[in-house]
Amino acid sequence: MAATPFRPPWFGNRGVQVLAAGALAYSLVQVVVQLVDAAWGEAFLYAAWSVLFGYVLVESLRFRREQDAARDEPADQGD
């Protein structure tokens, strides 16, 4: 089983998710624009940025769900 990667507590913040979603949308639009202009190198660069921002968005959403699940889980009461 793979070890869980370290993520700082702020990684699940809604601001990170909004920023990643905005950057992803911008990068995807730029991929299309660069392909229409036949700028293949720039299109590839924006495609790579899209993969990166998409990964950040997905992992941030996953981490937020983990944080919410851990917070909603009832604490065990000791003796």
Side-chain angles (χ1 to χ4, degrees):
M1 195 162 207
T4 304
F6 171 75
R7 295 181 193 111
W10 53 263
F11 192 69
N13 189 313
R14 294 284 182 212
V16 171
Q17 296 167 357
V18 169
L19 187 61
L24 175 62
Y26 175 79
S27 295
L28 290 173
V29 167
Q30 286 300 314
V31 166
V32 173
V33 168
Q34 299 304 326
L35 286 174
V36 169
D37 289 342
W40 311 116
E42 291 290 322
F44 178 78
L45 178 64
Y46 280 110
W49 281 114
S50 297
V51 169
L52 176 69
F53 292 130
Y55 177 76
V56 168
L57 178 61
V58 167
E59 287 298 314
S60 180
L61 290 168
R62 180 178 297 147
F63 187 55
R64 179 68 176 229
R65 279 193 306 261
E66 289 174 5
Q67 284 179 326
D68 290 345
R71 186 183 38 192
D72 293 341
E73 193 173 276
D76 291 336
Q77 297 296 324
D79 291 313

